[in-house]
Amino acid sequence: MRSVLVLGGTAEARELASTLDARESVRVISSLAGRVARPRLPEGEVRIGGFGGPERLAEWLREERIDDVVDATHPFAERISASAAWAASVTGVPLLRLERPGWTEGPGDAWRWADTLEGAAAVVADLAGRTFLTTGRQGLEAFAPLAGIWFLIRCVDPPEGAMPPRHELILDRGPYTLEGELELFRSRDIEVLVTKDSGGEHTRPKLDAARQVGAAVVIVRRPSRPDAPVANTVAEALAWLERVQPG
Ligand code: NAP
């Protein structure tokens, strides 16, 4: 029996875990951070909560006799990816990064790219329009000083910590439709959209809606990643697993 750890928190991680779980020769364990109150659970074994840092993760890999690790965490989950890269290198367990491609601009788009949430907040301060903030509940304090700007904030669970004073909060996890996003943009007179470069189809409609209503897009670049082979799709990840340990 081959044991595969899938570091999750994304749709791709769930899809990979389901496919592997259907194979009799594979034991798949999905790991979730435990940030979301009611996470969508993948099929197969699931463990929830941090490992306690890279050393503890390395110990865990040895104890559970893990043969391969697939880091399918969100493109902006930097710490767990660094931890996985370190633990894989000291244990010699093969590591794959499964990461959907980032979004690309279409004809006529003129997205403003920022390196950080603070950088995005500086662009928003310049644009000074009604802003739809979709960067997640972490890091909203970067926008808290922008007291003169009205925000529509959408995230899965209620944010903690400082937020911009003038805002409406919507709790939702998608996936979203173009029709639904257009209704949101129009009903709130949205002039600026702020997003991370998460990639994928589930949250893409907001970008299409922004183009249709002529809203400016402020997009946060992905952080750099540890050195590891990368698969862009679940099919590519399955092919990598097959190559690393055939059968
Ligand atoms: P992070 O900053 O990289 O992780 C912080 C700590 O949380 C890690 O050091 C680790 O704790 C624990 N952790 C994170 N992912 C884990 C996992 N899959 N399994 C076990 N422990 C995990 O990550 P984050 O940005 O807080 O994101 C947390 C989770 O939410 C990730 O799994 C990610 O896929 C998902 N997510 C993140 C975003 C985002 O924008 N950041 C968006 C959507 C989904 P220990 O050091 O104790 O092991």
Side-chain angles (χ1 to χ4, degrees):
M1 183 73 108
R2 178 174 171 192
S3 296
V4 179
L5 171 66
V6 177
L7 294 167
T10 59
E12 289 79 3
R14 282 193 298 279
E15 192 187 329
L16 178 65
S18 299
T19 310
L20 291 174
D21 188 52
R23 298 184 178 176
E24 284 188 356
S25 58
V26 177
R27 172 191 178 211
V28 58
I29 309 168
S30 294
S31 176
L32 302 177
R35 293 269 191 288
V36 175
R38 286 187 309 283
R40 290 183 178 136
L41 292 178
E43 286 168 48
E45 283 181 50
V46 179
R47 64 162 301 289
I48 298 184
F51 292 92
E55 290 88 357
R56 286 291 303 128
L57 174 55
E59 279 171 37
W60 189 93
L61 294 178
R62 290 193 185 103
E63 281 163 15
E64 295 290 331
R65 298 176 184 278
I66 297 296
D67 296 298
D68 313 280
V69 178
V70 179
D71 171 12
T73 57
H74 190 270
F76 284 81
E78 282 183 85
R79 273 187 294 161
I80 187 65
S81 290
S83 196
W86 188 88
S89 74
V90 298
T91 55
V93 176
L95 168 71
L96 176 74
R97 169 79 186 146
L98 169 55
E99 184 170 279
R100 61 185 96 132
W103 287 314
T104 47
E105 288 171 72
D109 286 335
W111 297 348
R112 279 112 164 140
W113 291 84
D115 288 328
T116 58
L117 287 173
E118 288 71 21
V123 180
V124 170
D126 277 349
L127 293 169
R130 291 170 64 83
T131 299
F132 184 16
L133 197 49
T134 64
T135 49
R137 67 174 172 151
Q138 296 183 67
L140 290 179
E141 53 276 5
F143 300 87
L146 305 183
I149 294 174
W150 183 88
F151 288 89
L152 174 63
I153 299 174
R154 183 171 68 191
C155 40
V156 177
D157 282 320
E160 291 153 13
M163 289 206 282
R166 297 177 57 220
H167 72 260
E168 175 186 345
L169 178 64
I170 296 182
L171 300 182
D172 196 354
R173 68 179 355 159
Y176 304 100
T177 61
L178 177 58
E179 203 179 35
E181 298 293 53
L182 277 172
E183 144 66 19
L184 213 50
F185 273 74
R186 289 185 175 133
S187 61
R188 270 62 170 198
D189 293 324
I190 297 299
E191 299 167 294
V192 180
L193 168 70
V194 187
T195 178
K196 292 174 175 172
D197 182 15
S198 300
E201 293 307 311
H202 286 201
T203 55
R204 162 98 218 175
K206 62 188 170 188
L207 291 162
D208 300 328
R211 183 185 302 134
Q212 284 200 25
V213 303
V217 172
V218 183
I219 183 160
V220 183
R221 268 191 202 91
R222 292 178 174 192
S224 62
R225 283 277 155 192
D227 216 10
V230 177
N232 284 146
T233 62
V234 170
E236 285 176 28
L238 291 166
W240 178 86
L241 285 166
E242 193 56 40
R243 275 200 305 280
V244 175
Q245 296 186 23

